[in-house]
Amino acid sequence: MTINPLQGLATARRNGKPYGITSVCSAHPLVIQAAVRRAVADQDAVLLIEATCNQVNQFGGYTGMTPDLFVAFVREIAGREGLPASRIIFGGDHLGPNPWKNEPAAQAMSKAEAMVTAYVWAGFSKIHLDASMGCAGEPAALDDETIATRAARLAKAAEKAARSRGGALPVYIIGTEVPVPGGADHAISDLKPTEASAAQRTIDIHREIFAREGLDEAFGRVIGVVVQPGVEFGSENVVAYRPEASAPLTALLDRETALVYEAHSTDYQSRAALTALVANGFPILKVGPGLTFALRESLYGLDLIASEMVSGYGERPLARAMETLMLSAPGYWRSHYHGNEKRLYLQRQYSYSDRIRYYWTNPAASVAVARLREALSGVAIPETLMRQFLPTLPAELGPAGDPQAILLAAVDLVLADYDAACHPA
């Protein structure tokens, strides 16, 4: 039986042999496929796939998938690639009232409880309890006691569902200083890590309120805390990790020896930075937009190559189709991108925030991608064009005439950095 590596993260750190785990936060089938293939290649690997409350919930979320459908979706890809279901951990991210924060708290929390229940029943065993956001008529930032009280309420729902379902009970992530999902919506020049005293208060008050609510055993399965380690990305820039800035947070783990930190928004960090995060007590490395950004880069590179090589393909029709689609349905990017028309165009197409990822499942996008793949299927791409338009990928992929292999390689290139950081020599 495969051992859940999440349970051993804190112990490994205490023993001076830290390791990490990549948390793949994406619902794109090619991203999932690339992650599955990497897990298959390492027979001892366990794959952690996470879904967010807005992406997947009992009403379908923006993917249209309920938790059970998301699990089935991932397992279908895994089955095709030969990865046993027992080697996949499903995590629920930001599970709380956020999708319904414009509703009264009582109503939003009832829906959040139903969502957590649905996640656990579907087989999600890593649950991030995030009740940090205010609901209708409340301040945007709630006080620590209210957050912890609501987190305990959600934990009760998860515990009840898990005991009814049978099998292993879930592990939990807590934390109130949560980076903005999908990255910040502005350029970031100064980013301060969470104060160690604030992290300690988060832990203490959750421990106290869980005990008050009869959830001592559940709190014993809290494995991590979300804090700000000093990493973030905006639309146009990335803030690199500085280990010295988060040293007080690392020191706190010497007192809270059963816990580690979960690092959100690690997208676009260097391999060295990711390795340092793991070594310094941030072994759960969450990545999402960085993977779909790499996928979009390779799709656009192939779009340019097909424009150069394939008669009748046209001038960058995929990029044009995506721009038309994003302009016709601006809901996913309008409040995140700012500036004049040229800046907005560049952000729509090339932003680190990668809001374009929300559009790939649209039928118009699917048709454009299918046309690109058909245009290049069986077409040997010269090394010179690979170097010109896809310079980070091995040029020998071009002559094979397999655009899918190129797309998967682009995602895998990012995953390789995480793999190396999580399993230091």
Side-chain angles (χ1 to χ4, degrees):
M1 181 178 177
T2 303
I3 298 173
N4 184 342
L6 297 173
Q7 303 283 74
L9 291 169
T11 301
R13 183 185 177 277
R14 288 199 306 272
N15 292 340
K17 297 181 179 179
Y19 64 85
I21 187 165
T22 306
S23 170
V24 177
C25 306
S26 179
H28 196 291
L30 283 176
V31 169
I32 301 296
Q33 186 178 0
V36 165
R37 286 192 174 186
R38 181 159 277 275
V40 168
D42 180 353
Q43 295 184 356
D44 296 324
V46 172
L47 177 61
L48 174 57
I49 301 286
E50 302 220 29
T52 69
C53 59
N54 289 310
Q55 182 185 57
V56 172
N57 58 49
Q58 70 270 38
F59 303 113
Y62 68 74
T63 63
M65 286 188 277
T66 55
D68 56 333
L69 289 178
F70 182 79
V71 168
F73 159 71
V74 172
R75 286 180 174 166
E76 192 277 328
I77 295 172
R80 281 193 275 114
E81 298 292 334
L83 182 69
S86 61
R87 288 173 56 193
I88 306 172
I89 298 171
F90 288 95
D93 200 20
H94 298 287
L95 299 193
N98 188 57
W100 310 286
K101 63 185 178 183
N102 294 325
E103 301 178 17
Q107 190 171 315
M109 281 297 296
S110 291
K111 290 180 178 178
E113 286 176 302
M115 175 176 63
V116 168
T117 298
Y119 265 78
V120 174
W121 266 108
F124 286 75
S125 59
K126 174 184 176 290
I127 304 296
H128 174 207
L129 303 168
D130 179 12
S132 60
M133 66 295 298
C135 298
E138 296 181 327
L142 299 175
D143 63 90
D144 289 337
E145 184 164 352
T146 299
I147 292 168
T149 299
R150 291 180 181 179
R153 179 176 166 184
L154 296 174
K156 276 188 179 180
E159 292 288 292
K160 181 179 178 181
R163 294 182 191 282
S164 298
R165 181 179 185 271
L169 296 172
V171 298
Y172 296 104
I173 305 292
I174 59 171
T176 59
E177 189 156 342
V178 184
V180 179
D185 63 359
H186 57 279
I188 309 164
S189 57
D190 183 32
L191 186 63
K192 294 182 179 179
T194 302
E195 295 284 344
S197 59
Q200 183 70 74
R201 174 163 172 75
T202 292
I203 296 166
D204 289 343
I205 199 162
H206 277 76
R207 183 184 285 124
E208 174 188 332
I209 289 175
F210 271 54
R212 186 186 74 193
E213 297 298 321
L215 291 166
D216 297 87
E217 184 188 351
F219 192 84
R221 281 179 270 111
V222 173
I223 61 166
V225 185
V226 177
V227 294
Q228 173 54 270
V231 301
E232 185 60 279
F233 59 92
S235 182
E236 298 173 354
N237 74 316
V238 177
V239 178
Y241 177 56
R242 294 185 299 116
E244 67 279 5
S246 65
L249 284 170
T250 300
L252 173 58
L253 296 179
D254 293 334
R255 299 193 298 273
E256 295 289 348
T257 57
L259 300 174
V260 294
Y261 297 121
E262 178 169 276
H264 288 224
S265 299
T266 68
D267 310 71
Y268 314 109
Q269 295 293 315
S270 68
R271 180 177 292 195
L274 295 170
T275 302
L277 280 164
V278 171
N280 294 335
F282 301 86
I284 305 173
L285 301 175
K286 302 182 81 70
V287 57
L291 298 171
T292 45
F293 183 93
L295 181 66
R296 194 271 315 151
E297 277 188 317
S298 58
L299 280 166
Y300 276 19
L302 291 174
D303 194 35
L304 285 160
I305 289 170
S307 297
E308 295 284 349
M309 288 188 68
V310 180
S311 297
Y313 178 72
E315 183 66 26
R316 300 191 67 195
L318 174 61
R320 292 171 183 271
M322 297 308 293
E323 174 68 358
T324 298
L325 180 56
M326 294 183 79
L327 287 173
S328 67
Y332 288 122
W333 60 266
R334 177 176 281 160
S335 63
H336 295 265
Y337 296 156
H338 310 285
N340 59 30
E341 285 306 309
K342 177 54 70 174
R343 284 197 66 197
L344 287 172
Y345 166 76
L346 292 174
Q347 290 172 85
R348 283 193 298 269
Q349 295 292 319
Y350 305 109
S351 166
Y352 282 128
S353 299
D354 196 52
R355 306 297 297 181
I356 199 171
R357 70 186 184 277
Y358 294 99
Y359 296 85
W360 291 117
T361 55
N362 184 283
S366 298
V367 167
V369 171
R371 180 167 178 256
L372 168 63
R373 291 168 66 164
E374 182 180 355
L376 288 176
S377 180
V379 175
I381 301 172
E383 180 179 317
T384 51
L385 286 186
M386 289 291 293
R387 288 177 61 115
Q388 178 66 42
F389 297 114
L390 294 168
T392 63
L393 297 179
E396 58 265 25
L397 284 171
D402 185 355
Q404 169 119 336
I406 290 172
L407 298 175
L408 290 170
V411 177
D412 187 69
L413 204 62
V414 179
L415 291 172
D417 284 340
Y418 282 83
D419 227 13
C422 289
H423 304 97

